Every structure is written in C-alpha cells, then in structure tokens.
Amino acid sequence: IQMTQSPSTLSASVGDRVTITCRASQSVSSWLVWYQQKPGKAPRLLIYKASILESGVPSRFSGSGSGTEFTLTISSLQPDDFATYYCQQYNYYSPRTFGQGTKVEIK
Amino acid sequence: EVQVVESGGGLVQRGGSLRLSCAASGFNVGDKYMSWVRQAPGKGLEWVAVIHSGGDRKYADSVMGRFTIFRDKSRNTVDLQMNSLRADDTALYYCAKEGYSYGLTGYFDCWGQGTQVTVSS
C-alpha cells in the first residue's frame, strides 16, 4: 500500500490553521497514524486509528478520515510545531508503510 | 518508564555484516510486536522488519533474505542481523515498540534514539 502526503513542504506562521493530507493507494479503513519528527530526534506518535490523540499530545492536533483519504490538522500553529510530519498505515496483512513526509516551515 | 535503546551501529564495507541490538526496559519484548525502522540521510522513514509476540517475523522486500530479526526474552532485547550490506542500507536505524489498540498493532508508540549504520563502497 502506497501512502502519498501533500504538500511536501508547507510554510506557515504561528497561529495559522494547518492541514496536511495523506492518501492511501487502497483502503486502510481507519488504520492510520501520524507522527511528528524534529531534526535529530526520533519520531513521536501523535494520533492513532486516524483520529485518536495519543496521551500527552496537545489538543490543537486532530486527525480525520477513513478509507483512502486522511488529514492532520493543527488548529493554531505553535513555535514547537515546526517539524516534519509523517503518516503511516498499519494492516496485519501488508507491510507498514509511511508517507514521504510533510515539512512545516516558518513563513 | 518504557524505553528502548539501540546499539551496534558503525561503519562497514559493502558486502559486510553488522548486528544491531535493542535493549528494552519497562516492558517485556516477548509481549509486544517489535520493529526496526530506518531513515536514510535526509530521507523519510522506512519500516524494515517486525517480530510478533508469537515469534512470527516479517520483512520489507528491500531487506528480505539479507536481514534477520531476533528476540532474546532472557535479555529483553531485539536484534537485527544485517548481512550482504549495500550502500543504500546506509541509514539511522530505529528500534520501535508497536502499540496495540482496537485489536490491531502495527504503529510505533515508543522509539529509541537510533543507531547509525554507514556502508562504504
């Protein structure tokens, strides 16, 4: 299953509402997660099962979607949110696959 | 505290071998699905291998037949034996514990800091 994120790079300002899209080449139901990765750091799980916020993740992050189209939304971008975001599908019958990443930069 | 710590990375010649190790604490590796995920310099994330709690193993096509994932319950470790290394295996290798919810695993809720593998040609 191929995962495609858009855009690849996003320029935004503090306080902006930001949306990242992830599309799957075939349905993954709701078996999709989002990670945040900062330079030199390991990825951090933000959202699992498409829309469930991992413990400790700020509520400005939200996820939605099912089937083949998913979105990650940051309701009000904060300085700590400038990072690269990855989606990933999980399914017992197919290899775990990631999107190519979306870099959120300061405008 | 749940954590994993990788070790064993280094510089190796093309065609050579290397064994990575992942030491877990705060949980038993035998109870969880454990994966290796890699990231080439400046690139995205690529899942490499998983060992299920029941012992089944699965691999990415790119490493099938060259890499083997092992588990040692007595040491609470998960290793990745890498043979026939190629230049495109150069990456930061992360060990990751898989989360489980709603009857399915396959996502990564605990990551190590990674160990660098560089394959020279």
Side-chain angles (χ1 to χ4, degrees):
Chain A
I1 298 174
Q2 308 298 321
M3 308 301 293
T4 303
Q5 288 181 232
S6 60
S8 296
T9 306
L10 186 160
S11 296
S13 302
V14 172
D16 284 353
R17 181 181 181 89
V18 167
T19 298
I20 299 168
T21 298
C22 177
R23 289 185 173 88
S25 60
Q26 64 188 76
S27 177
V28 298
S29 185
S30 296
W31 307 119
L32 183 112
V33 296
W34 291 95
Y35 302 95
Q36 176 193 66
Q37 187 179 34
K38 296 181 179 178
K41 299 294 186 181
R44 172 196 181 193
L45 177 66
L46 297 177
I47 288 169
Y48 61 97
K49 203 174 179 290
S51 63
I52 301 175
L53 212 61
E54 173 73 341
S55 176
V57 174
S59 59
R60 62 181 179 272
F61 290 92
S62 64
S64 65
S66 66
T68 62
E69 187 152 338
F70 301 86
T71 59
L72 172 70
T73 299
I74 309 172
S75 60
S76 178
L77 197 65
Q78 298 302 301
D80 191 48
D81 301 337
F82 292 97
T84 299
Y85 294 85
Y86 294 93
C87 63
Q88 179 229 325
Q89 65 82 22
Y90 56 108
N91 178 307
Y92 184 85
Y93 300 103
S94 66
R96 294 109 169 97
T97 48
F98 294 88
Q100 81 279 15
T102 295
K103 185 175 182 179
V104 177
E105 298 181 325
I106 300 173
K107 191 173 184 178
Chain B
E1 181 189 3
V2 171
Q3 70 173 0
V4 294
V5 178
E6 305 92 338
S7 60
L11 177 63
V12 61
Q13 287 194 331
R14 185 179 59 185
S17 298
L18 206 58
R19 188 171 180 117
L20 308 182
S21 188
C22 170
S25 57
F27 69 98
N28 295 320
V29 296
D31 296 336
K32 303 294 183 183
Y33 283 37
M34 296 293 296
S35 273
W36 287 91
V37 177
R38 67 185 181 184
Q39 187 168 34
K43 301 297 184 182
L45 301 164
E46 180 189 18
W47 170 78
V48 172
V50 62
I51 185 163
H52 296 183
S53 52
D56 194 16
R57 305 167 187 174
K58 296 189 185 298
Y59 301 92
D61 288 346
S62 58
V63 306
M64 187 86 68
R66 300 187 299 122
F67 290 13
T68 306
I69 189 169
F70 295 97
R71 180 178 63 197
D72 187 329
K73 293 180 184 180
S74 65
R75 294 170 54 230
N76 212 32
T77 57
V78 175
D79 288 3
L80 185 69
Q81 177 67 42
M82 304 185 296
N83 299 330
S84 303
L85 282 161
R86 312 185 304 218
D88 62 359
D89 294 319
T90 294
L92 185 64
Y93 283 74
Y94 292 104
C95 173
K97 179 179 81 65
E98 296 201 1
Y100 180 86
S101 64
Y102 297 87
L104 200 65
T105 185
Y107 61 94
F108 311 110
D109 65 356
C110 177
W111 298 68
Q113 81 289 350
T115 187
Q116 179 67 42
V117 172
T118 303
V119 183
S120 66
S121 52

Short mmCIF file of all heavy atoms in Angstrom, two decimals, chain A residues 31 33 35 37 40-45 48-49 52 54 86 88-92 95-100, chain B residues 33 35 37 39 43-47 50 52 56 58 94 98 101-102 104-109 111-113:
data_model
loop_
_atom_site.label_atom_id
_atom_site.label_comp_id
_atom_site.label_asym_id
_atom_site.label_seq_id
_atom_site.Cartn_x
_atom_site.Cartn_y
_atom_site.Cartn_z
N TRP A 31 -6.96 2.50 9.92
CA TRP A 31 -5.67 2.08 10.48
C TRP A 31 -4.55 2.99 9.98
O TRP A 31 -3.72 2.61 9.15
CB TRP A 31 -5.39 0.63 10.14
CG TRP A 31 -6.50 -0.30 10.53
CD1 TRP A 31 -7.24 -1.09 9.70
CD2 TRP A 31 -7.04 -0.50 11.85
NE1 TRP A 31 -8.18 -1.78 10.41
CE2 TRP A 31 -8.08 -1.45 11.74
CE3 TRP A 31 -6.74 0.00 13.12
CZ2 TRP A 31 -8.82 -1.89 12.84
CZ3 TRP A 31 -7.47 -0.45 14.21
CH2 TRP A 31 -8.50 -1.38 14.06
N VAL A 33 -1.83 6.31 11.29
CA VAL A 33 -1.28 7.12 12.38
C VAL A 33 -0.52 8.30 11.80
O VAL A 33 -0.17 8.32 10.62
CB VAL A 33 -0.33 6.30 13.28
CG1 VAL A 33 -1.06 5.18 13.98
CG2 VAL A 33 0.85 5.75 12.50
N TYR A 35 2.83 10.92 12.85
CA TYR A 35 4.00 11.17 13.69
C TYR A 35 4.53 12.57 13.42
O TYR A 35 4.37 13.11 12.32
CB TYR A 35 5.14 10.18 13.38
CG TYR A 35 4.80 8.73 13.53
CD1 TYR A 35 4.41 7.98 12.42
CD2 TYR A 35 4.89 8.09 14.77
CE1 TYR A 35 4.10 6.63 12.56
CE2 TYR A 35 4.58 6.74 14.90
CZ TYR A 35 4.20 6.02 13.78
OH TYR A 35 3.89 4.69 13.91
N GLN A 37 8.27 14.56 13.65
CA GLN A 37 9.70 14.37 13.83
C GLN A 37 10.42 15.70 13.73
O GLN A 37 10.27 16.43 12.76
CB GLN A 37 10.28 13.39 12.80
CG GLN A 37 11.75 13.04 13.09
CD GLN A 37 12.34 12.06 12.09
OE1 GLN A 37 12.00 12.06 10.91
NE2 GLN A 37 13.26 11.21 12.57
N GLY A 40 17.11 15.59 14.18
CA GLY A 40 17.96 14.89 15.13
C GLY A 40 17.23 14.10 16.20
O GLY A 40 17.87 13.57 17.11
N LYS A 41 15.92 14.01 16.07
CA LYS A 41 15.11 13.30 17.07
C LYS A 41 14.35 12.16 16.43
O LYS A 41 14.11 12.13 15.23
CB LYS A 41 14.12 14.27 17.72
CG LYS A 41 14.76 15.45 18.45
CD LYS A 41 15.55 15.00 19.66
CE LYS A 41 16.06 16.18 20.47
NZ LYS A 41 16.86 15.74 21.64
N ALA A 42 13.95 11.21 17.28
CA ALA A 42 13.10 10.13 16.81
C ALA A 42 11.68 10.65 16.57
O ALA A 42 11.27 11.65 17.17
CB ALA A 42 13.07 9.00 17.85
N PRO A 43 10.94 9.99 15.72
CA PRO A 43 9.53 10.36 15.54
C PRO A 43 8.75 10.20 16.85
O PRO A 43 9.11 9.40 17.71
CB PRO A 43 9.04 9.37 14.48
CG PRO A 43 10.26 8.94 13.76
CD PRO A 43 11.34 8.92 14.80
N ARG A 44 7.68 10.99 16.94
CA ARG A 44 6.79 10.95 18.10
C ARG A 44 5.38 10.66 17.61
O ARG A 44 4.90 11.32 16.69
CB ARG A 44 6.83 12.30 18.81
CG ARG A 44 5.81 12.48 19.93
CD ARG A 44 5.66 13.96 20.28
NE ARG A 44 4.71 14.20 21.37
CZ ARG A 44 4.22 15.39 21.69
NH1 ARG A 44 4.64 16.46 21.02
NH2 ARG A 44 3.37 15.51 22.67
N LEU A 45 4.74 9.68 18.21
CA LEU A 45 3.36 9.35 17.84
C LEU A 45 2.42 10.45 18.29
O LEU A 45 2.42 10.85 19.45
CB LEU A 45 2.97 8.02 18.49
CG LEU A 45 1.53 7.55 18.26
CD1 LEU A 45 1.30 7.22 16.78
CD2 LEU A 45 1.23 6.33 19.13
N TYR A 48 -3.38 7.94 16.51
CA TYR A 48 -3.53 6.58 16.00
C TYR A 48 -5.00 6.32 15.67
O TYR A 48 -5.89 7.06 16.07
CB TYR A 48 -2.97 5.55 16.98
CG TYR A 48 -3.63 5.51 18.34
CD1 TYR A 48 -4.63 4.60 18.62
CD2 TYR A 48 -3.23 6.38 19.35
CE1 TYR A 48 -5.24 4.56 19.87
CE2 TYR A 48 -3.82 6.35 20.59
CZ TYR A 48 -4.83 5.44 20.85
OH TYR A 48 -5.42 5.40 22.10
N LYS A 49 -5.21 5.27 14.92
CA LYS A 49 -6.54 4.93 14.41
C LYS A 49 -7.23 6.16 13.82
O LYS A 49 -8.39 6.43 14.10
CB LYS A 49 -7.40 4.28 15.48
CG LYS A 49 -8.54 3.41 14.90
CD LYS A 49 -9.29 2.67 15.96
CE LYS A 49 -10.42 1.86 15.38
NZ LYS A 49 -11.52 2.70 14.88
N ILE A 52 -7.51 9.29 16.99
CA ILE A 52 -7.37 9.22 18.45
C ILE A 52 -6.04 9.84 18.88
O ILE A 52 -4.97 9.42 18.43
CB ILE A 52 -7.45 7.77 18.94
CG1 ILE A 52 -8.80 7.16 18.53
CG2 ILE A 52 -7.28 7.72 20.45
CD1 ILE A 52 -8.94 5.70 18.84
N GLU A 54 -2.88 10.56 20.92
CA GLU A 54 -2.01 9.86 21.87
C GLU A 54 -1.94 10.68 23.17
O GLU A 54 -2.01 11.91 23.15
CB GLU A 54 -0.62 9.68 21.27
CG GLU A 54 0.45 9.11 22.20
CD GLU A 54 0.28 7.62 22.51
OE1 GLU A 54 -0.83 7.08 22.32
OE2 GLU A 54 1.27 7.00 22.93
N TYR A 86 4.70 12.72 9.39
CA TYR A 86 4.56 11.52 8.57
C TYR A 86 3.25 10.81 8.91
O TYR A 86 2.89 10.69 10.08
CB TYR A 86 5.70 10.53 8.85
CG TYR A 86 7.07 10.99 8.44
CD1 TYR A 86 7.90 11.63 9.33
CD2 TYR A 86 7.54 10.75 7.15
CE1 TYR A 86 9.18 12.05 8.96
CE2 TYR A 86 8.81 11.16 6.76
CZ TYR A 86 9.62 11.80 7.68
OH TYR A 86 10.88 12.22 7.31
N GLN A 88 1.33 7.00 8.41
CA GLN A 88 1.72 5.59 8.26
C GLN A 88 0.47 4.74 8.36
O GLN A 88 -0.35 4.95 9.25
CB GLN A 88 2.71 5.18 9.34
CG GLN A 88 3.14 3.71 9.28
CD GLN A 88 3.04 3.00 10.60
OE1 GLN A 88 3.28 3.57 11.66
NE2 GLN A 88 2.68 1.72 10.56
N GLN A 89 0.35 3.78 7.47
CA GLN A 89 -0.78 2.85 7.56
C GLN A 89 -0.30 1.57 8.25
O GLN A 89 0.87 1.19 8.16
CB GLN A 89 -1.36 2.56 6.19
CG GLN A 89 -0.46 1.83 5.21
CD GLN A 89 -0.41 0.33 5.40
OE1 GLN A 89 -1.33 -0.27 5.98
NE2 GLN A 89 0.65 -0.32 4.92
N TYR A 90 -1.23 0.92 8.93
CA TYR A 90 -0.91 -0.35 9.53
C TYR A 90 -2.05 -1.33 9.29
O TYR A 90 -3.22 -1.00 9.41
CB TYR A 90 -0.57 -0.23 11.02
CG TYR A 90 -1.61 0.43 11.92
CD1 TYR A 90 -2.34 -0.31 12.82
CD2 TYR A 90 -1.80 1.80 11.90
CE1 TYR A 90 -3.26 0.28 13.67
CE2 TYR A 90 -2.71 2.41 12.75
CZ TYR A 90 -3.43 1.64 13.63
OH TYR A 90 -4.34 2.24 14.47
N ASN A 91 -1.65 -2.53 8.93
CA ASN A 91 -2.59 -3.54 8.49
C ASN A 91 -1.88 -4.87 8.65
O ASN A 91 -0.74 -5.01 8.19
CB ASN A 91 -2.95 -3.28 7.03
CG ASN A 91 -3.90 -4.31 6.47
OD1 ASN A 91 -3.67 -5.50 6.55
ND2 ASN A 91 -4.98 -3.85 5.88
N TYR A 92 -2.49 -5.82 9.28
CA TYR A 92 -1.80 -7.07 9.56
C TYR A 92 -1.30 -7.74 8.30
O TYR A 92 -0.27 -8.39 8.30
CB TYR A 92 -2.75 -8.03 10.31
CG TYR A 92 -2.07 -9.31 10.71
CD1 TYR A 92 -1.35 -9.39 11.90
CD2 TYR A 92 -2.13 -10.45 9.90
CE1 TYR A 92 -0.71 -10.55 12.27
CE2 TYR A 92 -1.50 -11.62 10.27
CZ TYR A 92 -0.79 -11.67 11.46
OH TYR A 92 -0.16 -12.82 11.83
N PRO A 95 2.83 -4.79 4.62
CA PRO A 95 3.91 -4.11 5.33
C PRO A 95 3.48 -2.72 5.79
O PRO A 95 2.70 -2.05 5.13
CB PRO A 95 5.01 -4.02 4.28
CG PRO A 95 4.69 -5.06 3.28
CD PRO A 95 3.21 -5.15 3.25
N ARG A 96 4.02 -2.34 6.93
CA ARG A 96 3.78 -0.98 7.41
C ARG A 96 4.43 0.00 6.42
O ARG A 96 5.59 -0.16 6.08
CB ARG A 96 4.40 -0.79 8.80
CG ARG A 96 3.75 -1.64 9.89
CD ARG A 96 4.69 -2.76 10.34
NE ARG A 96 4.24 -3.43 11.54
CZ ARG A 96 3.55 -4.58 11.53
NH1 ARG A 96 3.24 -5.15 10.38
NH2 ARG A 96 3.18 -5.13 12.67
N THR A 97 3.72 1.00 5.97
CA THR A 97 4.28 1.95 5.02
C THR A 97 3.98 3.38 5.45
O THR A 97 2.90 3.68 5.97
CB THR A 97 3.75 1.72 3.60
OG1 THR A 97 2.33 1.60 3.63
CG2 THR A 97 4.34 0.47 2.97
N PHE A 98 4.97 4.24 5.20
CA PHE A 98 4.91 5.64 5.57
C PHE A 98 4.68 6.52 4.35
O PHE A 98 5.08 6.17 3.23
CB PHE A 98 6.24 6.08 6.21
CG PHE A 98 6.56 5.44 7.52
CD1 PHE A 98 7.25 4.23 7.57
CD2 PHE A 98 6.22 6.06 8.71
CE1 PHE A 98 7.57 3.64 8.78
CE2 PHE A 98 6.54 5.47 9.93
CZ PHE A 98 7.21 4.26 9.96
N GLY A 99 4.10 7.68 4.59
CA GLY A 99 4.13 8.73 3.60
C GLY A 99 5.53 9.32 3.53
O GLY A 99 6.38 9.04 4.38
N GLN A 100 5.76 10.15 2.54
CA GLN A 100 7.10 10.69 2.32
C GLN A 100 7.44 11.85 3.25
O GLN A 100 8.58 12.30 3.30
CB GLN A 100 7.27 11.12 0.85
CG GLN A 100 6.69 12.48 0.53
CD GLN A 100 5.20 12.48 0.28
OE1 GLN A 100 4.49 11.52 0.59
NE2 GLN A 100 4.72 13.55 -0.32
N TYR B 33 4.85 -6.64 19.79
CA TYR B 33 5.44 -6.65 18.47
C TYR B 33 6.56 -5.60 18.50
O TYR B 33 6.37 -4.48 19.00
CB TYR B 33 4.43 -6.23 17.41
CG TYR B 33 3.42 -7.27 17.00
CD1 TYR B 33 2.86 -8.15 17.93
CD2 TYR B 33 2.99 -7.36 15.69
CE1 TYR B 33 1.92 -9.09 17.54
CE2 TYR B 33 2.04 -8.29 15.28
CZ TYR B 33 1.51 -9.15 16.22
OH TYR B 33 0.57 -10.08 15.83
N SER B 35 9.65 -3.71 16.13
CA SER B 35 10.07 -3.43 14.77
C SER B 35 11.38 -2.67 14.72
O SER B 35 11.79 -2.05 15.70
CB SER B 35 9.01 -2.59 14.04
OG SER B 35 8.02 -3.36 13.43
N VAL B 37 12.94 0.30 12.15
CA VAL B 37 12.58 1.29 11.13
C VAL B 37 13.85 2.07 10.83
O VAL B 37 14.61 2.39 11.75
CB VAL B 37 11.48 2.24 11.65
CG1 VAL B 37 11.17 3.32 10.62
CG2 VAL B 37 10.22 1.46 12.01
N GLN B 39 15.98 5.29 8.52
CA GLN B 39 15.85 6.59 7.87
C GLN B 39 17.17 6.95 7.23
O GLN B 39 18.16 7.23 7.93
CB GLN B 39 15.42 7.65 8.88
CG GLN B 39 15.08 8.99 8.28
CD GLN B 39 14.39 9.91 9.27
OE1 GLN B 39 14.67 9.90 10.47
NE2 GLN B 39 13.46 10.72 8.78
N LYS B 43 16.17 11.63 4.27
CA LYS B 43 15.02 10.96 3.66
C LYS B 43 13.95 10.64 4.69
O LYS B 43 14.08 10.98 5.87
CB LYS B 43 15.48 9.66 2.98
CG LYS B 43 16.53 9.87 1.90
CD LYS B 43 16.04 10.70 0.75
CE LYS B 43 17.08 10.80 -0.35
NZ LYS B 43 16.64 11.66 -1.48
N GLY B 44 12.89 9.97 4.24
CA GLY B 44 11.79 9.61 5.11
C GLY B 44 12.01 8.29 5.83
O GLY B 44 13.10 7.72 5.82
N LEU B 45 10.95 7.82 6.46
CA LEU B 45 11.00 6.62 7.29
C LEU B 45 10.66 5.39 6.46
O LEU B 45 9.76 5.42 5.63
CB LEU B 45 10.02 6.76 8.45
CG LEU B 45 10.26 7.95 9.37
CD1 LEU B 45 9.05 8.22 10.24
CD2 LEU B 45 11.50 7.71 10.23
N GLU B 46 11.37 4.31 6.72
CA GLU B 46 11.12 3.05 6.02
C GLU B 46 11.10 1.92 7.05
O GLU B 46 12.10 1.68 7.75
CB GLU B 46 12.21 2.76 4.98
CG GLU B 46 12.00 1.45 4.24
CD GLU B 46 13.17 1.06 3.36
OE1 GLU B 46 14.28 1.59 3.54
OE2 GLU B 46 12.98 0.19 2.48
N TRP B 47 9.98 1.23 7.14
CA TRP B 47 9.89 0.06 8.01
C TRP B 47 10.77 -1.06 7.44
O TRP B 47 10.79 -1.27 6.22
CB TRP B 47 8.44 -0.38 8.14
CG TRP B 47 8.30 -1.70 8.81
CD1 TRP B 47 8.38 -1.96 10.15
CD2 TRP B 47 8.08 -2.96 8.18
NE1 TRP B 47 8.23 -3.30 10.38
CE2 TRP B 47 8.04 -3.94 9.19
CE3 TRP B 47 7.92 -3.35 6.85
CZ2 TRP B 47 7.84 -5.28 8.92
CZ3 TRP B 47 7.73 -4.69 6.57
CH2 TRP B 47 7.68 -5.64 7.61
N VAL B 50 9.73 -6.77 11.52
CA VAL B 50 8.95 -6.88 12.75
C VAL B 50 9.05 -8.32 13.25
O VAL B 50 9.13 -9.25 12.46
CB VAL B 50 7.47 -6.48 12.54
CG1 VAL B 50 6.79 -7.40 11.53
CG2 VAL B 50 6.70 -6.48 13.86
N HIS B 52 6.74 -10.62 15.80
CA HIS B 52 5.49 -10.63 16.53
C HIS B 52 5.68 -11.20 17.93
O HIS B 52 6.65 -11.92 18.19
CB HIS B 52 4.47 -11.48 15.77
CG HIS B 52 4.11 -10.93 14.43
ND1 HIS B 52 3.15 -11.52 13.63
CD2 HIS B 52 4.55 -9.85 13.73
CE1 HIS B 52 3.03 -10.83 12.50
NE2 HIS B 52 3.88 -9.82 12.54
N ASP B 56 6.49 -14.85 15.02
CA ASP B 56 6.48 -14.70 13.57
C ASP B 56 7.30 -13.47 13.18
O ASP B 56 7.34 -12.50 13.92
CB ASP B 56 5.05 -14.57 13.08
CG ASP B 56 4.91 -14.75 11.58
OD1 ASP B 56 5.86 -15.27 10.95
OD2 ASP B 56 3.87 -14.35 11.02
N LYS B 58 8.39 -10.72 9.89
CA LYS B 58 8.11 -10.20 8.56
C LYS B 58 9.15 -9.15 8.21
O LYS B 58 9.66 -8.46 9.11
CB LYS B 58 6.69 -9.63 8.49
CG LYS B 58 5.60 -10.68 8.71
CD LYS B 58 4.23 -10.14 8.42
CE LYS B 58 3.15 -11.16 8.75
NZ LYS B 58 3.27 -12.38 7.92
N TYR B 94 16.20 2.75 13.76
CA TYR B 94 15.45 2.89 14.99
C TYR B 94 14.82 1.55 15.38
O TYR B 94 14.29 0.83 14.52
CB TYR B 94 14.29 3.88 14.82
CG TYR B 94 14.67 5.32 14.62
CD1 TYR B 94 14.61 5.91 13.36
CD2 TYR B 94 15.05 6.12 15.70
CE1 TYR B 94 14.92 7.26 13.18
CE2 TYR B 94 15.36 7.47 15.52
CZ TYR B 94 15.29 8.01 14.26
OH TYR B 94 15.60 9.34 14.09
N GLU B 98 5.71 -1.59 19.13
CA GLU B 98 4.44 -1.35 18.47
C GLU B 98 3.32 -1.23 19.49
O GLU B 98 3.24 -1.97 20.47
CB GLU B 98 4.15 -2.46 17.47
CG GLU B 98 5.16 -2.50 16.33
CD GLU B 98 4.64 -3.21 15.10
OE1 GLU B 98 3.48 -3.66 15.10
OE2 GLU B 98 5.41 -3.29 14.12
N SER B 101 -4.11 -1.40 19.88
CA SER B 101 -5.41 -0.84 20.26
C SER B 101 -6.46 -1.32 19.29
O SER B 101 -6.18 -1.57 18.11
CB SER B 101 -5.35 0.70 20.27
OG SER B 101 -5.10 1.19 18.98
N TYR B 102 -7.68 -1.47 19.78
CA TYR B 102 -8.81 -1.86 18.94
C TYR B 102 -8.51 -3.13 18.15
O TYR B 102 -8.91 -3.28 17.00
CB TYR B 102 -9.21 -0.71 18.00
CG TYR B 102 -9.68 0.52 18.75
CD1 TYR B 102 -8.79 1.47 19.19
CD2 TYR B 102 -11.03 0.69 19.05
CE1 TYR B 102 -9.21 2.58 19.91
CE2 TYR B 102 -11.47 1.80 19.76
CZ TYR B 102 -10.56 2.73 20.19
OH TYR B 102 -10.98 3.81 20.90
N LEU B 104 -5.65 -4.28 16.95
CA LEU B 104 -4.63 -4.28 15.91
C LEU B 104 -3.37 -3.57 16.39
O LEU B 104 -3.44 -2.59 17.12
CB LEU B 104 -5.15 -3.59 14.65
CG LEU B 104 -4.41 -3.91 13.34
CD1 LEU B 104 -4.57 -5.38 12.98
CD2 LEU B 104 -4.94 -3.03 12.22
N THR B 105 -2.24 -4.12 15.97
CA THR B 105 -0.97 -3.47 16.23
C THR B 105 -0.41 -2.99 14.88
O THR B 105 -1.08 -3.10 13.86
CB THR B 105 -0.01 -4.45 16.93
OG1 THR B 105 1.19 -3.76 17.27
CG2 THR B 105 0.34 -5.62 16.04
N GLY B 106 0.82 -2.44 14.89
CA GLY B 106 1.41 -2.03 13.62
C GLY B 106 1.81 -0.58 13.55
O GLY B 106 2.29 -0.10 12.52
N TYR B 107 1.58 0.15 14.65
CA TYR B 107 2.09 1.51 14.71
C TYR B 107 3.08 1.59 15.87
O TYR B 107 3.13 0.71 16.71
CB TYR B 107 0.95 2.52 14.88
CG TYR B 107 0.13 2.35 16.15
CD1 TYR B 107 0.42 3.06 17.30
CD2 TYR B 107 -0.95 1.48 16.18
CE1 TYR B 107 -0.32 2.91 18.45
CE2 TYR B 107 -1.70 1.31 17.33
CZ TYR B 107 -1.40 2.03 18.46
OH TYR B 107 -2.14 1.87 19.60
N PHE B 108 3.86 2.65 15.89
CA PHE B 108 5.03 2.69 16.78
C PHE B 108 4.84 3.73 17.86
O PHE B 108 4.81 4.94 17.57
CB PHE B 108 6.28 2.96 15.94
CG PHE B 108 6.36 2.06 14.73
CD1 PHE B 108 6.18 2.58 13.46
CD2 PHE B 108 6.58 0.70 14.88
CE1 PHE B 108 6.23 1.75 12.34
CE2 PHE B 108 6.63 -0.13 13.77
CZ PHE B 108 6.45 0.41 12.49
N ASP B 109 4.72 3.27 19.11
CA ASP B 109 4.44 4.21 20.20
C ASP B 109 5.62 4.46 21.11
O ASP B 109 5.52 5.26 22.04
CB ASP B 109 3.21 3.75 21.00
CG ASP B 109 3.43 2.44 21.73
OD1 ASP B 109 4.51 1.82 21.56
OD2 ASP B 109 2.51 2.03 22.46
N TRP B 111 9.96 4.84 20.56
CA TRP B 111 11.11 4.78 19.65
C TRP B 111 12.39 4.99 20.45
O TRP B 111 12.43 5.76 21.41
CB TRP B 111 11.03 5.89 18.61
CG TRP B 111 9.86 5.87 17.69
CD1 TRP B 111 8.55 6.09 18.01
CD2 TRP B 111 9.90 5.67 16.28
NE1 TRP B 111 7.77 6.03 16.88
CE2 TRP B 111 8.57 5.77 15.80
CE3 TRP B 111 10.92 5.41 15.35
CZ2 TRP B 111 8.24 5.62 14.45
CZ3 TRP B 111 10.60 5.26 14.01
CH2 TRP B 111 9.26 5.37 13.57
N GLY B 112 13.47 4.36 19.99
CA GLY B 112 14.78 4.67 20.54
C GLY B 112 15.36 5.90 19.87
O GLY B 112 14.70 6.56 19.06
N GLN B 113 16.60 6.20 20.20
CA GLN B 113 17.25 7.37 19.63
C GLN B 113 17.94 7.04 18.30
O GLN B 113 18.37 7.94 17.58
CB GLN B 113 18.28 7.94 20.61
CG GLN B 113 19.64 7.25 20.63
CD GLN B 113 19.63 5.85 21.24
OE1 GLN B 113 18.63 5.42 21.84
NE2 GLN B 113 20.74 5.14 21.12
#
